[in-house]
Amino acid sequence: MFRRLPPIVQFIYVSMIGICLGTAAGLVNEFLQQPFSVTNAVVWLFLLLVSAGIVTLITLYSRNRLN
């Protein structure tokens, strides 16, 4: 699927998947903290959405859904 993408884009894609998983773990960790901080949870959620959006854009681009 990703053979058509340049190596740097493949590297960014795999890195963003790792960042997305890491921010999901950070968000879950934030939900489990006893004095729950809404501000920190919103920051983790924002980072998760940004990284997931970049992964989605690269996936759509690689499948020629974006022209």
Side-chain angles (χ1 to χ4, degrees), residues 4 9 12-13 18 20 23 29-32 34-35 38 40-41 43 47-48 52-53 57 59 66:
R4 295 183 302 250
V9 177
I12 292 170
Y13 180 76
C20 188
T23 55
N29 184 33
E30 192 60 44
F31 283 140
L32 298 176
Q34 223 21 284
V38 175
N40 289 343
V43 169
L47 292 174
L48 178 66
L57 284 175
T59 302
L66 297 176

Side-chain angles (χ1 to χ4, degrees), residues 3-67:
R3 284 179 272 171
R4 295 183 302 250
L5 295 177
I8 188 67
V9 177
Q10 292 176 5
F11 176 76
I12 292 170
Y13 180 76
V14 172
S15 299
M16 291 309 293
I17 289 175
I19 291 170
C20 188
L21 293 175
T23 55
L27 183 61
V28 168
N29 184 33
E30 192 60 44
F31 283 140
L32 298 176
Q33 294 295 320
Q34 223 21 284
F36 179 70
S37 173
V38 175
T39 306
N40 289 343
V42 168
V43 169
W44 281 109
L45 184 62
F46 173 75
L47 292 174
L48 178 66
L49 291 175
V50 167
S51 60
I54 292 172
V55 168
T56 303
L57 284 175
I58 293 175
T59 302
L60 290 174
Y61 175 76
S62 68
R63 293 184 178 196
N64 290 327
R65 304 283 184 197
L66 297 176
N67 292 329

